[in-house]
Amino acid sequence: MSTYPNAVATAAVPAPAAPLDPACAEPLPVLGRDVTVPLVTGGEVTYAALDYAASAPALQRVWDDVAAYAPYYGSVHRGAGYLSQLSTDLFEQSRATVAGFLDCRPGDQVVFTRSTTDSLNLLAAVLPADCQVFVFETEHHASLLPWTDAQVTYLNAPRTPDEAVATLERALADRELGEGPALVCVTGASNVTGELWPVKELAAAAHAHGARIVLDAAQLAPHHPVSVQELDVDWVAFSGHKLYAPFGSGVLAGRADWLQQAEPYLAGGGASRKVARRADGGVDVEWHTTAARHEAGSPNVIGVYAIASACKALTEEGFDGLVARERHLIAKVRGGLAEVPAVRILSLFGDDAPRVGVISFVVDGWNSSHFAAALSAEYGIGVRDGLFCAHPLVRTLLGSEPQTQGECGAPEAAPGERSLNAIRVSFGAGTPDEHVDRFVRAVRELVANGAKWQYRTEEGRCVPAV
Ligand code: PLP
C-alpha cells in the first residue's frame, strides 16, 4: 500500500503532452516575463513564476488598460467633475462586464469586494437568521472559516465527484425541507489538487433540498469559463489577483435578495442613500438596495477596472484555446513527474479527473520547504510549499496530524515516511513551455543528485545558508 493513501503514484508511462493547436501555442503576454533572478550557484535566469494559484502575474493587456485609464482616475459616485463622471461610468461598466463574464441572470447583483475571502465573508454576513451552511472539509480556509460553529456542518472529503454529490445529498436530506434557509459553499477547482468539482450536480442537489449554493471560483475562473446560469449556482466569488488583475479587487455576484435584505457589510458613505438626525438625537439611515449597499467607502476603481479588463481579455482570447494550452502544460508536468518514482502527486479524485494547472506533490525523503527553496535558489523557479490554506485537505491527503515543520537541513520525512507539507506548482495563461520544462528537469535533478547548496531554517522557512 502507498505511504500516502490518498496520493496517486503517477502512472509509470507518462501521459503524452497533448498536441497543441498552433493557434494557442503562445502564452498570453504577462508582466514579469523577462524578469531575471540570481541563482545561488551563480548567474541569472528568467524567473519561472509557477505559483499562479497564489497570485497570477498581471496580463500585459490589463496593465496597459490600467495605465491608459490612470490619468483619468477620479472619485466614483461622489464627484461632479468630468473625471469623476468618467470613473463612475467605467466603474459601472465594469460591473456589467463582470456580469457578462459570469453569465449572470437578469437581476443578479455584482458586488465588488477586496478578494474571494472578503466576498465569502460578505455572504456569511448577509445570511438569513438560522441559515445552515454545508461545506466540505476540502475547501480553502476562505470557504471553510467564515461561518459560525452553530450554523456550519463540515462534510468529509469525498473520494470521487459522485461521492461528493451523494455526501451532500445525505447531509441535506437530514434536514427537513422548509426547515429554514441553507447554503452550500463549494470550490470549482481545488487550490491543492487542481481537480474540478461537480458544481452543476452539487447545485442541483442543493436546490432539490431547498438550499442555495455559492461557488468559490477563485481557482476556476482564471482557467475555465464560469456560467452562473449554466451551473445554476446562486453566487460566485473570485479574486482579481488570481485572474491576472492584481489590483486589490474581488467579486461576489449572484442573487440580490439576501444581499438586499441584510444590513450593509460596512456602514458608511456610498452604502447610504439618506441619513437624517432623529428627534431623539440619533440618526435614521436609508440604505441602498443595489450592490452599493455592500460597497461602503470609496471604491477601488482601478482594481475593478482591472478585473473587467481581465474578463474582456480572457473572453476575447477564448477559453477553448486557453484550456487546450493548459492541458498541454498539465500533461507535460504530470508526465514529467511520473518519471520520478520519489514523487507522489496528491489527488482526491484520481489520475483521470479533469483538472486545472494546479498540482501538489511530495517527494520521498525531502522536506517540502527545502525542495521549494532549492527550486527557487538553484533554478529560479517560484512554487509554493506548505498546506496551502487548506490544512484539513492537505492533512487528509498526506495522512498526517497537525505538527510543526522540521528543520530543513534534516528531511522531515525519511524515504518511505510521510511528509508533513507538500509542494505546489501552478501555472496558467502566461506560462511558457520553458517554465514547466525547467521545472520537470529541476525535479529530476534534485531527486537524482540532491541540492547543490546548503540551506538553513529561518522563521520556519528554508533559505539558502549563505
Ligand atoms: N478559494 C480558493 C479556492 C483559493 O485558492 C483562494 C486563495 O488561494 C481563496 C479562496 C482566497 O482567495 P483570496 O486570498 O484572494 O481571498
Side-chain angles (χ1 to χ4, degrees):
M1 199 179 124
S2 162
T3 312
Y4 302 98
N6 304 305
V8 172
T10 46
V13 181
L20 197 53
D21 178 345
C24 55
E26 290 302 316
L28 297 188
V30 289
L31 258 56
R33 58 193 181 279
D34 299 323
V35 166
T36 58
V37 291
L39 301 180
V40 280
T41 44
E44 298 211 335
V45 286
T46 49
Y47 183 63
L50 293 179
D51 196 10
Y52 274 49
S55 284
L59 281 177
Q60 184 69 50
R61 153 88 183 265
V62 170
W63 185 258
D64 293 346
D65 281 354
V66 165
Y69 161 62
Y72 301 94
Y73 172 77
S75 64
V76 169
H77 290 150
R78 36 179 61 70
Y82 189 88
L83 297 193
S84 293
Q85 298 295 315
L86 180 89
S87 294
T88 302
D89 276 356
L90 283 185
F91 188 77
E92 290 307 326
Q93 279 169 26
S94 299
R95 213 188 287 284
T97 301
V98 171
F101 179 73
L102 295 174
D103 188 25
C104 286
R105 294 161 289 250
D108 278 350
Q109 284 188 347
V110 173
V111 183
F112 288 115
T113 63
R114 289 178 298 168
S115 59
T116 308
T117 304
D118 200 26
S119 299
L120 293 172
N121 275 272
L122 161 59
L123 190 60
V126 305
L127 294 185
D130 301 327
C131 186
Q132 290 176 267
V133 180
F134 296 84
V135 189
F136 286 94
E137 63 161 353
T138 48
E139 292 292 325
H140 187 279
H141 294 172
S143 296
L144 210 57
L145 302 181
W147 332 105
T148 64
D149 273 356
Q151 63 191 173
V152 67
T153 302
Y154 292 112
L155 309 174
N156 289 341
R159 298 301 146 88
T160 63
D162 286 348
E163 194 187 327
V165 179
T167 302
L168 180 66
E169 293 263 7
R170 267 196 308 279
L172 291 172
D174 282 350
R175 65 186 273 286
E176 300 276 311
L177 255 185
E179 196 182 336
L183 177 75
V184 177
C185 179
V186 72
T187 187
S190 165
N191 72 309
V192 175
T193 66
E195 289 161 336
L196 300 184
W197 277 63
V199 176
K200 196 171 173 172
E201 291 75 9
L202 291 167
H207 292 150
H209 290 88
R212 292 187 176 193
I213 186 165
V214 55
L215 170 63
D216 171 353
Q219 299 295 348
L220 185 64
H223 303 272
H224 279 268
V226 173
S227 164
V228 165
Q229 300 195 63
E230 156 85 19
L231 295 171
D232 196 18
V233 292
D234 297 282
W235 292 276
V236 174
F238 72 86
S239 301
H241 70 104
K242 296 184 200 290
L243 194 90
Y244 314 104
F247 293 87
S249 274
V251 167
L252 177 69
R255 301 216 182 266
D257 51 358
W258 288 6
L259 291 162
Q260 283 170 342
Q261 287 153 17
E263 290 295 303
Y265 186 41
L266 293 173
S272 47
R273 190 161 32 207
K274 200 158 48 163
V275 180
R277 288 296 299 273
R278 279 195 312 261
D280 67 4
V283 288
D284 277 330
V285 188
E286 199 180 296
W287 301 106
H288 282 293
T289 52
T290 57
R293 184 182 189 86
H294 298 293
E295 292 174 347
S298 297
N300 175 4
V301 56
I302 296 258
V304 162
Y305 184 58
I307 285 189
S309 163
C311 292
K312 281 189 207 154
L314 295 175
T315 306
E316 284 164 21
E317 183 64 24
F319 271 102
D320 286 353
L322 294 172
V323 168
R325 177 162 173 77
E326 192 169 310
R327 284 208 185 114
H328 160 83
L329 297 177
I330 292 171
K332 275 192 161 200
V333 173
R334 287 177 59 86
L337 293 180
E339 289 178 343
V340 185
V343 168
R344 297 284 179 274
I345 292 179
L346 303 185
S347 166
L348 267 184
F349 297 158
D351 255 348
D352 296 332
R355 47 180 32 91
V356 298
V358 178
I359 297 164
S360 298
F361 61 98
V362 287
V363 185
D364 281 346
W366 278 81
N367 170 310
S368 294
S369 176
H370 187 188
F371 202 86
L375 285 173
S376 168
E378 299 178 27
Y379 294 90
I381 296 170
V383 297
R384 183 166 170 193
D385 62 279
L387 300 172
F388 318 128
C389 294
H391 294 188
L393 170 58
V394 181
R395 290 207 184 101
T396 295
L397 293 170
L398 295 177
S400 62
E401 296 298 320
Q403 288 181 41
T404 49
Q405 193 168 345
E407 292 290 300
C408 69
E412 68 194 11
E417 286 182 0
R418 287 176 183 172
S419 183
L420 302 177
N421 290 288
I423 305 150
R424 181 180 73 188
V425 58
S426 55
F427 41 87
T431 306
D433 282 41
E434 191 276 323
H435 288 185
V436 301
D437 292 343
R438 193 192 323 169
F439 166 77
V440 168
R441 176 172 56 83
V443 171
R444 220 181 275 141
E445 287 180 5
L446 284 172
V447 169
N449 309 325
K452 297 190 198 78
W453 206 253
Q454 293 293 311
Y455 295 81
R456 63 186 166 79
T457 309
E458 197 177 279
E459 294 175 3
R461 296 202 58 77
C462 278
V463 291
V466 180

mmCIF file with all atom_site columns, all heavy atoms in Angstrom, residues 327-342:
data_model
loop_
_atom_site.group_PDB
_atom_site.id
_atom_site.type_symbol
_atom_site.label_atom_id
_atom_site.label_alt_id
_atom_site.label_comp_id
_atom_site.label_asym_id
_atom_site.label_entity_id
_atom_site.label_seq_id
_atom_site.pdbx_PDB_ins_code
_atom_site.Cartn_x
_atom_site.Cartn_y
_atom_site.Cartn_z
_atom_site.occupancy
_atom_site.B_iso_or_equiv
_atom_site.pdbx_formal_charge
_atom_site.auth_seq_id
_atom_site.auth_comp_id
_atom_site.auth_asym_id
_atom_site.auth_atom_id
_atom_site.pdbx_PDB_model_num
ATOM 1   N N   . ARG A 1 327 ? -4.021  22.291 -20.807 1.00 0.00 ? 327 ARG A N   1
ATOM 2   C CA  . ARG A 1 327 ? -3.994  20.811 -20.789 1.00 0.00 ? 327 ARG A CA  1
ATOM 3   C C   . ARG A 1 327 ? -2.635  20.293 -21.247 1.00 0.00 ? 327 ARG A C   1
ATOM 4   O O   . ARG A 1 327 ? -2.096  19.337 -20.716 1.00 0.00 ? 327 ARG A O   1
ATOM 5   C CB  . ARG A 1 327 ? -5.076  20.248 -21.709 1.00 0.00 ? 327 ARG A CB  1
ATOM 6   C CG  . ARG A 1 327 ? -6.432  20.350 -21.106 1.00 0.00 ? 327 ARG A CG  1
ATOM 7   C CD  . ARG A 1 327 ? -7.358  19.235 -21.623 1.00 0.00 ? 327 ARG A CD  1
ATOM 8   N NE  . ARG A 1 327 ? -8.686  19.470 -21.095 1.00 0.00 ? 327 ARG A NE  1
ATOM 9   C CZ  . ARG A 1 327 ? -9.755  19.788 -21.818 1.00 0.00 ? 327 ARG A CZ  1
ATOM 10  N NH1 . ARG A 1 327 ? -9.659  19.842 -23.131 1.00 0.00 ? 327 ARG A NH1 1
ATOM 11  N NH2 . ARG A 1 327 ? -10.907 20.031 -21.243 1.00 0.00 ? 327 ARG A NH2 1
ATOM 12  N N   . HIS A 1 328 ? -2.114  20.961 -22.256 1.00 0.00 ? 328 HIS A N   1
ATOM 13  C CA  . HIS A 1 328 ? -0.807  20.586 -22.790 1.00 0.00 ? 328 HIS A CA  1
ATOM 14  C C   . HIS A 1 328 ? 0.263   20.738 -21.696 1.00 0.00 ? 328 HIS A C   1
ATOM 15  O O   . HIS A 1 328 ? 1.101   19.848 -21.495 1.00 0.00 ? 328 HIS A O   1
ATOM 16  C CB  . HIS A 1 328 ? -0.546  21.489 -24.000 1.00 0.00 ? 328 HIS A CB  1
ATOM 17  C CG  . HIS A 1 328 ? 0.853   21.634 -24.425 1.00 0.00 ? 328 HIS A CG  1
ATOM 18  N ND1 . HIS A 1 328 ? 1.481   20.712 -25.229 1.00 0.00 ? 328 HIS A ND1 1
ATOM 19  C CD2 . HIS A 1 328 ? 1.788   22.602 -24.163 1.00 0.00 ? 328 HIS A CD2 1
ATOM 20  C CE1 . HIS A 1 328 ? 2.722   21.111 -25.452 1.00 0.00 ? 328 HIS A CE1 1
ATOM 21  N NE2 . HIS A 1 328 ? 2.932   22.239 -24.819 1.00 0.00 ? 328 HIS A NE2 1
ATOM 22  N N   . LEU A 1 329 ? 0.205   21.837 -20.948 1.00 0.00 ? 329 LEU A N   1
ATOM 23  C CA  . LEU A 1 329 ? 1.187   22.059 -19.876 1.00 0.00 ? 329 LEU A CA  1
ATOM 24  C C   . LEU A 1 329 ? 0.979   21.054 -18.740 1.00 0.00 ? 329 LEU A C   1
ATOM 25  O O   . LEU A 1 329 ? 1.942   20.530 -18.173 1.00 0.00 ? 329 LEU A O   1
ATOM 26  C CB  . LEU A 1 329 ? 1.072   23.492 -19.334 1.00 0.00 ? 329 LEU A CB  1
ATOM 27  C CG  . LEU A 1 329 ? 1.385   24.623 -20.327 1.00 0.00 ? 329 LEU A CG  1
ATOM 28  C CD1 . LEU A 1 329 ? 1.155   25.988 -19.679 1.00 0.00 ? 329 LEU A CD1 1
ATOM 29  C CD2 . LEU A 1 329 ? 2.817   24.535 -20.838 1.00 0.00 ? 329 LEU A CD2 1
ATOM 30  N N   . ILE A 1 330 ? -0.285  20.780 -18.410 1.00 0.00 ? 330 ILE A N   1
ATOM 31  C CA  . ILE A 1 330 ? -0.580  19.820 -17.329 1.00 0.00 ? 330 ILE A CA  1
ATOM 32  C C   . ILE A 1 330 ? 0.008   18.453 -17.700 1.00 0.00 ? 330 ILE A C   1
ATOM 33  O O   . ILE A 1 330 ? 0.639   17.784 -16.873 1.00 0.00 ? 330 ILE A O   1
ATOM 34  C CB  . ILE A 1 330 ? -2.106  19.709 -17.093 1.00 0.00 ? 330 ILE A CB  1
ATOM 35  C CG1 . ILE A 1 330 ? -2.662  21.017 -16.517 1.00 0.00 ? 330 ILE A CG1 1
ATOM 36  C CG2 . ILE A 1 330 ? -2.430  18.541 -16.151 1.00 0.00 ? 330 ILE A CG2 1
ATOM 37  C CD1 . ILE A 1 330 ? -4.189  21.076 -16.456 1.00 0.00 ? 330 ILE A CD1 1
ATOM 38  N N   . ALA A 1 331 ? -0.204  18.053 -18.954 1.00 0.00 ? 331 ALA A N   1
ATOM 39  C CA  . ALA A 1 331 ? 0.299   16.738 -19.387 1.00 0.00 ? 331 ALA A CA  1
ATOM 40  C C   . ALA A 1 331 ? 1.816   16.698 -19.297 1.00 0.00 ? 331 ALA A C   1
ATOM 41  O O   . ALA A 1 331 ? 2.402   15.695 -18.892 1.00 0.00 ? 331 ALA A O   1
ATOM 42  C CB  . ALA A 1 331 ? -0.172  16.443 -20.809 1.00 0.00 ? 331 ALA A CB  1
ATOM 43  N N   . LYS A 1 332 ? 2.465   17.803 -19.634 1.00 0.00 ? 332 LYS A N   1
ATOM 44  C CA  . LYS A 1 332 ? 3.933   17.848 -19.546 1.00 0.00 ? 332 LYS A CA  1
ATOM 45  C C   . LYS A 1 332 ? 4.387   17.677 -18.102 1.00 0.00 ? 332 LYS A C   1
ATOM 46  O O   . LYS A 1 332 ? 5.301   16.914 -17.807 1.00 0.00 ? 332 LYS A O   1
ATOM 47  C CB  . LYS A 1 332 ? 4.448   19.204 -20.048 1.00 0.00 ? 332 LYS A CB  1
ATOM 48  C CG  . LYS A 1 332 ? 4.630   19.282 -21.527 1.00 0.00 ? 332 LYS A CG  1
ATOM 49  C CD  . LYS A 1 332 ? 5.418   20.531 -21.896 1.00 0.00 ? 332 LYS A CD  1
ATOM 50  C CE  . LYS A 1 332 ? 5.996   20.338 -23.297 1.00 0.00 ? 332 LYS A CE  1
ATOM 51  N NZ  . LYS A 1 332 ? 7.103   21.203 -23.570 1.00 0.00 ? 332 LYS A NZ  1
ATOM 52  N N   . VAL A 1 333 ? 3.744   18.419 -17.188 1.00 0.00 ? 333 VAL A N   1
ATOM 53  C CA  . VAL A 1 333 ? 4.177   18.372 -15.786 1.00 0.00 ? 333 VAL A CA  1
ATOM 54  C C   . VAL A 1 333 ? 3.865   17.003 -15.186 1.00 0.00 ? 333 VAL A C   1
ATOM 55  O O   . VAL A 1 333 ? 4.723   16.366 -14.574 1.00 0.00 ? 333 VAL A O   1
ATOM 56  C CB  . VAL A 1 333 ? 3.493   19.492 -14.958 1.00 0.00 ? 333 VAL A CB  1
ATOM 57  C CG1 . VAL A 1 333 ? 3.800   19.332 -13.477 1.00 0.00 ? 333 VAL A CG1 1
ATOM 58  C CG2 . VAL A 1 333 ? 3.970   20.850 -15.444 1.00 0.00 ? 333 VAL A CG2 1
ATOM 59  N N   . ARG A 1 334 ? 2.651   16.531 -15.382 1.00 0.00 ? 334 ARG A N   1
ATOM 60  C CA  . ARG A 1 334 ? 2.284   15.243 -14.778 1.00 0.00 ? 334 ARG A CA  1
ATOM 61  C C   . ARG A 1 334 ? 3.099   14.107 -15.404 1.00 0.00 ? 334 ARG A C   1
ATOM 62  O O   . ARG A 1 334 ? 3.535   13.191 -14.716 1.00 0.00 ? 334 ARG A O   1
ATOM 63  C CB  . ARG A 1 334 ? 0.780   14.994 -14.926 1.00 0.00 ? 334 ARG A CB  1
ATOM 64  C CG  . ARG A 1 334 ? -0.036  15.878 -13.980 1.00 0.00 ? 334 ARG A CG  1
ATOM 65  C CD  . ARG A 1 334 ? -1.517  15.692 -14.185 1.00 0.00 ? 334 ARG A CD  1
ATOM 66  N NE  . ARG A 1 334 ? -1.950  14.334 -13.971 1.00 0.00 ? 334 ARG A NE  1
ATOM 67  C CZ  . ARG A 1 334 ? -2.272  13.807 -12.802 1.00 0.00 ? 334 ARG A CZ  1
ATOM 68  N NH1 . ARG A 1 334 ? -2.213  14.545 -11.712 1.00 0.00 ? 334 ARG A NH1 1
ATOM 69  N NH2 . ARG A 1 334 ? -2.663  12.540 -12.704 1.00 0.00 ? 334 ARG A NH2 1
ATOM 70  N N   . GLY A 1 335 ? 3.298   14.193 -16.709 1.00 0.00 ? 335 GLY A N   1
ATOM 71  C CA  . GLY A 1 335 ? 4.109   13.173 -17.383 1.00 0.00 ? 335 GLY A CA  1
ATOM 72  C C   . GLY A 1 335 ? 5.537   13.190 -16.865 1.00 0.00 ? 335 GLY A C   1
ATOM 73  O O   . GLY A 1 335 ? 6.134   12.152 -16.584 1.00 0.00 ? 335 GLY A O   1
ATOM 74  N N   . GLY A 1 336 ? 6.095   14.403 -16.688 1.00 0.00 ? 336 GLY A N   1
ATOM 75  C CA  . GLY A 1 336 ? 7.474   14.534 -16.198 1.00 0.00 ? 336 GLY A CA  1
ATOM 76  C C   . GLY A 1 336 ? 7.587   14.007 -14.771 1.00 0.00 ? 336 GLY A C   1
ATOM 77  O O   . GLY A 1 336 ? 8.529   13.277 -14.437 1.00 0.00 ? 336 GLY A O   1
ATOM 78  N N   . LEU A 1 337 ? 6.624   14.357 -13.917 1.00 0.00 ? 337 LEU A N   1
ATOM 79  C CA  . LEU A 1 337 ? 6.688   13.910 -12.523 1.00 0.00 ? 337 LEU A CA  1
ATOM 80  C C   . LEU A 1 337 ? 6.511   12.397 -12.437 1.00 0.00 ? 337 LEU A C   1
ATOM 81  O O   . LEU A 1 337 ? 7.060   11.741 -11.547 1.00 0.00 ? 337 LEU A O   1
ATOM 82  C CB  . LEU A 1 337 ? 5.613   14.618 -11.678 1.00 0.00 ? 337 LEU A CB  1
ATOM 83  C CG  . LEU A 1 337 ? 5.807   16.132 -11.481 1.00 0.00 ? 337 LEU A CG  1
ATOM 84  C CD1 . LEU A 1 337 ? 4.677   16.714 -10.640 1.00 0.00 ? 337 LEU A CD1 1
ATOM 85  C CD2 . LEU A 1 337 ? 7.158   16.446 -10.836 1.00 0.00 ? 337 LEU A CD2 1
ATOM 86  N N   . ALA A 1 338 ? 5.756   11.835 -13.372 1.00 0.00 ? 338 ALA A N   1
ATOM 87  C CA  . ALA A 1 338 ? 5.516   10.388 -13.354 1.00 0.00 ? 338 ALA A CA  1
ATOM 88  C C   . ALA A 1 338 ? 6.803   9.597  -13.562 1.00 0.00 ? 338 ALA A C   1
ATOM 89  O O   . ALA A 1 338 ? 6.898   8.442  -13.165 1.00 0.00 ? 338 ALA A O   1
ATOM 90  C CB  . ALA A 1 338 ? 4.506   10.014 -14.432 1.00 0.00 ? 338 ALA A CB  1
ATOM 91  N N   . GLU A 1 339 ? 7.778   10.262 -14.163 1.00 0.00 ? 339 GLU A N   1
ATOM 92  C CA  . GLU A 1 339 ? 9.047   9.564  -14.414 1.00 0.00 ? 339 GLU A CA  1
ATOM 93  C C   . GLU A 1 339 ? 9.974   9.590  -13.204 1.00 0.00 ? 339 GLU A C   1
ATOM 94  O O   . GLU A 1 339 ? 11.076  9.053  -13.249 1.00 0.00 ? 339 GLU A O   1
ATOM 95  C CB  . GLU A 1 339 ? 9.756   10.212 -15.611 1.00 0.00 ? 339 GLU A CB  1
ATOM 96  C CG  . GLU A 1 339 ? 9.062   9.930  -16.921 1.00 0.00 ? 339 GLU A CG  1
ATOM 97  C CD  . GLU A 1 339 ? 9.733   10.616 -18.098 1.00 0.00 ? 339 GLU A CD  1
ATOM 98  O OE1 . GLU A 1 339 ? 10.520  11.561 -17.863 1.00 0.00 ? 339 GLU A OE1 1
ATOM 99  O OE2 . GLU A 1 339 ? 9.455   10.202 -19.231 1.00 0.00 ? 339 GLU A OE2 1
ATOM 100 N N   . VAL A 1 340 ? 9.532   10.264 -12.145 1.00 0.00 ? 340 VAL A N   1
ATOM 101 C CA  . VAL A 1 340 ? 10.371  10.356 -10.938 1.00 0.00 ? 340 VAL A CA  1
ATOM 102 C C   . VAL A 1 340 ? 9.680   9.554  -9.832  1.00 0.00 ? 340 VAL A C   1
ATOM 103 O O   . VAL A 1 340 ? 8.716   10.035 -9.232  1.00 0.00 ? 340 VAL A O   1
ATOM 104 C CB  . VAL A 1 340 ? 10.544  11.842 -10.514 1.00 0.00 ? 340 VAL A CB  1
ATOM 105 C CG1 . VAL A 1 340 ? 11.522  11.957 -9.344  1.00 0.00 ? 340 VAL A CG1 1
ATOM 106 C CG2 . VAL A 1 340 ? 10.998  12.690 -11.687 1.00 0.00 ? 340 VAL A CG2 1
ATOM 107 N N   . PRO A 1 341 ? 10.144  8.333  -9.568  1.00 0.00 ? 341 PRO A N   1
ATOM 108 C CA  . PRO A 1 341 ? 9.400   7.469  -8.636  1.00 0.00 ? 341 PRO A CA  1
ATOM 109 C C   . PRO A 1 341 ? 9.257   8.056  -7.231  1.00 0.00 ? 341 PRO A C   1
ATOM 110 O O   . PRO A 1 341 ? 8.312   7.733  -6.526  1.00 0.00 ? 341 PRO A O   1
ATOM 111 C CB  . PRO A 1 341 ? 10.238  6.182  -8.605  1.00 0.00 ? 341 PRO A CB  1
ATOM 112 C CG  . PRO A 1 341 ? 11.097  6.217  -9.818  1.00 0.00 ? 341 PRO A CG  1
ATOM 113 C CD  . PRO A 1 341 ? 11.294  7.658  -10.166 1.00 0.00 ? 341 PRO A CD  1
ATOM 114 N N   . ALA A 1 342 ? 10.176  8.950  -6.827  1.00 0.00 ? 342 ALA A N   1
ATOM 115 C CA  . ALA A 1 342 ? 10.098  9.505  -5.466  1.00 0.00 ? 342 ALA A CA  1
ATOM 116 C C   . ALA A 1 342 ? 8.959   10.510 -5.327  1.00 0.00 ? 342 ALA A C   1
ATOM 117 O O   . ALA A 1 342 ? 8.621   10.925 -4.218  1.00 0.00 ? 342 ALA A O   1
ATOM 118 C CB  . ALA A 1 342 ? 11.416  10.175 -5.117  1.00 0.00 ? 342 ALA A CB  1
#
